[in-house]
Amino acid sequence: MSERNSYTPAAMAVDTVIMPNSAEAIAEAARRILAGECVAVPTETVYGLAADATNGEAVARIYEAKGRPSFNPLIVHVGTMDMARDIADFSPTALGLAEALWPGPLTMVLPHREDSPIADIVTAGLPTIALRLPSEPTMRRLLSKVGKPLAAPSANASGQLSPTLAAHVEKSLGGRIGLIVDTKHPPHHGLESTIVAVREEGIELLRAGPITVEQIGAVTGTGVSEALTGKIEAPGQLLSHYAPSKPLRLNAIDADEDEYHLGFGEIGGDSSLSLKGNLEEAASLLFDALHFADASDRHRIAVAPIPETGIGVAINDRLRRAAAGSAG
């Protein structure tokens, strides 16, 4: 039996089963989802908490398990372009992005079709919907087995560090969900997907991620602007998010005695996001490293400077939101 999460009300406590990734585990996950449950399953970014996006009661269980604000919409994962077209209207620009960058860690916010089968709770009342076609084989097999779109935010309590291992999910949501599918290794990217709003007037970046603005611009031939409205249109836009339980200090070349120091490049630290200074490696290890530092005997966490280039933009985005939401 897994350790119970301390925030779990007794009335909703359930046995959390962890199954190694297999055909049996996918079949069990699909059975539970079709019965209205939500289950934790890996994607190529982080672990997601998946439920039938056409079933409002099932999606409500995601919000309940995570303690997620109802104004914060969810990303819907699809298995095919046909499924995506049944949900959203695709402009030529959106189709070009899908053709070039799907399947993969790109989420597009698009106009929501009036005849879409998606439950209203998924979009938090917005006229748009966030869609992504993932590349991770486990998630793709689950989508195929269920045959329906899946709402799947990160599988952690709202505002906490995103999970890249089954153990992270169990620590955060153990006792709140019935099943975790365990691949025994962290996801390929380790950061949540890039989110862009594809509008008539252009493309806006809502959340930095593994797909860079340079890659998007290379596909569309146009620039990508920063979202300026402050309106919540997609996950990951809250100023305080992805937070450890300990205070977090950024751009730390040196660390105090009570700080666990996460290094990068020439700054070794107690452990390193990448001794070679490789940003892709740092992105893939970021949340696992933060979980490890948060569980250490130090009272605070310090992180070495990360270059603000390429995927470093996404790493620094997560770190700034984590620092804003951490204790202290």
Side-chain angles (χ1 to χ4, degrees):
M1 173 59 193
S2 64
E3 178 183 348
R4 300 288 184 173
N5 186 287
S6 60
Y7 293 103
T8 305
M12 60 179 291
V14 298
D15 287 339
T16 299
V17 177
I18 300 178
M19 294 183 68
N21 186 29
S22 63
E24 180 185 6
I26 296 299
E28 177 62 13
R31 184 192 69 77
R32 287 175 180 260
I33 286 172
L34 291 172
E37 295 186 38
C38 49
V39 304
V41 61
T43 76
E44 73 271 33
T45 56
V46 299
Y47 271 75
L49 187 59
D52 178 0
T54 69
N55 181 337
E57 291 184 4
V59 175
R61 294 187 178 100
I62 291 178
Y63 283 94
E64 182 181 33
K66 285 177 62 70
R68 186 184 180 94
S70 60
F71 61 79
N72 204 358
L74 302 176
I75 293 174
V76 173
H77 294 64
V78 295
T80 66
M81 271 302 298
D82 286 342
M83 187 181 287
R85 286 174 177 270
D86 287 341
I87 296 170
D89 290 323
F90 281 75
S91 65
T93 298
L95 285 173
L97 286 170
E99 182 177 350
L101 299 172
W102 276 3
L106 175 69
T107 296
M108 288 190 279
V109 174
L110 303 169
H112 190 194
R113 290 177 58 96
E114 290 186 4
D115 59 350
S116 163
I118 300 300
D120 290 341
I121 188 174
V122 172
T123 62
L126 296 172
T128 55
I129 190 162
L131 284 185
R132 142 166 143 80
L133 199 161
S135 61
E136 211 284 332
T138 305
M139 186 59 154
R140 291 183 63 80
R141 287 195 293 269
L142 180 60
L143 282 159
S144 177
K145 191 77 172 177
V146 173
K148 294 182 177 183
L150 298 176
S154 57
N156 57 287
S158 186
Q160 294 184 6
L161 289 171
S162 296
T164 55
L165 295 171
H168 300 160
V169 181
E170 183 184 24
K171 181 179 179 182
S172 187
L173 297 181
R176 300 193 195 191
I177 61 174
L179 177 64
I180 303 169
V181 178
D182 184 6
T183 56
K184 304 295 185 182
H185 58 79
H188 176 69
H189 293 289
L191 286 181
E192 299 85 355
S193 63
T194 302
I195 304 180
V196 294
V198 184
R199 312 189 198 280
E200 290 183 4
E201 59 271 24
I203 301 174
E204 285 188 5
L205 179 68
L206 302 184
R207 180 177 74 186
I211 301 294
T212 66
V213 293
E214 290 81 8
Q215 289 175 283
I216 294 168
V219 172
T220 63
T222 61
V224 179
S225 63
E226 293 283 347
L228 300 175
T229 65
K231 181 174 65 174
I232 301 298
E233 297 184 81
Q237 290 187 277
L238 298 175
L239 293 178
S240 174
H241 206 22
Y242 316 112
S245 64
K246 298 174 180 178
L248 178 66
R249 184 167 66 92
L250 307 182
N251 299 313
I253 296 174
D254 298 303
D256 296 332
E257 287 187 4
D258 68 340
E259 290 181 319
Y260 188 96
H261 195 193
L262 290 176
F264 178 81
E266 294 181 355
I267 300 174
D270 293 296
S271 63
S272 179
L273 293 173
S274 174
L275 289 171
K276 298 178 181 179
N278 183 292
L279 289 171
E280 285 73 22
E281 181 182 21
S284 69
L285 295 176
L286 177 64
F287 284 123
D288 191 30
L290 286 172
H291 277 283
F292 187 86
D294 206 29
S296 75
D297 59 1
R298 313 286 175 83
H299 295 112
R300 297 184 295 154
I301 303 169
V303 184
I306 304 294
E308 191 81 17
T309 59
I311 200 171
V313 174
I315 297 171
N316 283 314
D317 169 78
R318 302 307 189 276
L319 286 172
R320 282 190 290 268
R321 295 175 195 271
S326 60

